[in-house]
Amino acid sequence: MDSYIDLPVAPAAKDARRTESIKLYGPDAFKGMRRAGALTAACLDGVADLIRHGIPLSDINTYVLDFAASHNAIPATLGYKGYKFACCTSVNHVVCHGFPNEKKLRDGDIVNVDVTLILDGWYGDSSRMYAVGTPKRAAERLVQITHEAMTRGIEAVRPGARLGDIGHAIQSYAKSERCSVVRDFCGHGIGQVFHDSPNILNFGRAGEGLELREGMIFTVEPMINLGRGDVKMLADDWTAVTRDKSLSAQFEHSVGVTTDGCEIFTGSTKGLHAPGFEIERAAI
Ligand code: MF3
Ligand code: CO
Ligand code: CO
């Protein structure tokens, strides 16, 4: 399928053997991403109805499996590098890639649910934070700061801007709120593969790095901690947690660079993407 052209990128000096190319996508690709993104957003909208004290995380996995099956979609994480679930569920101090296992949600938890649905070959990747009951003020604040960090990163996306502008927008805002950016994970190119170049770092210097061009498609997905930014991997080799056990939060959108800015493919038509503490609380 020739719905993109390859933009060759000069390899970094320290990695001269790797030839990088960044795909520039056309209108057909944007249509495909719009559909996949909307489906992922609708799936995450539905997750909001499940979130309450006492439900096992596996209920969320079952819901995503059923949702995908009934919409002719495939959860991209199933079987991805040996990962066995249809989504990731990361509770409290879990930074990312938590397993949706038998562990139960409890009043006061904050949980990130990360879903990637493949629809007609296109990958819609998005994640949101959900509140269980009434989280402490610090948890609510972290969720709001993380959403704002992602929003500022996305607002930096336009032709002529650089990758460092995205990272800088995220990092400088997190720092101004005395929170830390996790440096071990980043956003990524996306399209007809799950993880493509370029890496979208959540820190950086304004004006540095790859220049953004119309037609690039990637995710913006900062992980922000209340404490230090260091992470530790659990023995399952997937679950990343904060080393200091502080709370961590993340939001993610898949976006495409347009003539004068960007299009968010994974926006919620119900306006549920932003942290809606009132909405989830009302469901209790
Ligand atoms: N959805 C995650 C991302 O945003 C990737 C999860 S990979 C998994 O890139 F295998 F852990 F599910
Ligand atoms: Co992603
Ligand atoms: Co994701």
Side-chain angles (χ1 to χ4, degrees), residues 77 80 83 85 87-88 97 114-116 125 186 188 194-195 219 221 238 250 252:
T77 55
Y80 177 77
Y83 191 83
F85 305 95
C87 61
C88 301
H97 305 163
D114 191 337
V115 171
T116 308
D125 186 7
C186 58
H188 47 91
F194 198 172
H195 293 119
T219 71
E221 49 176 311
W238 278 105
Q250 180 182 25
E252 174 178 25

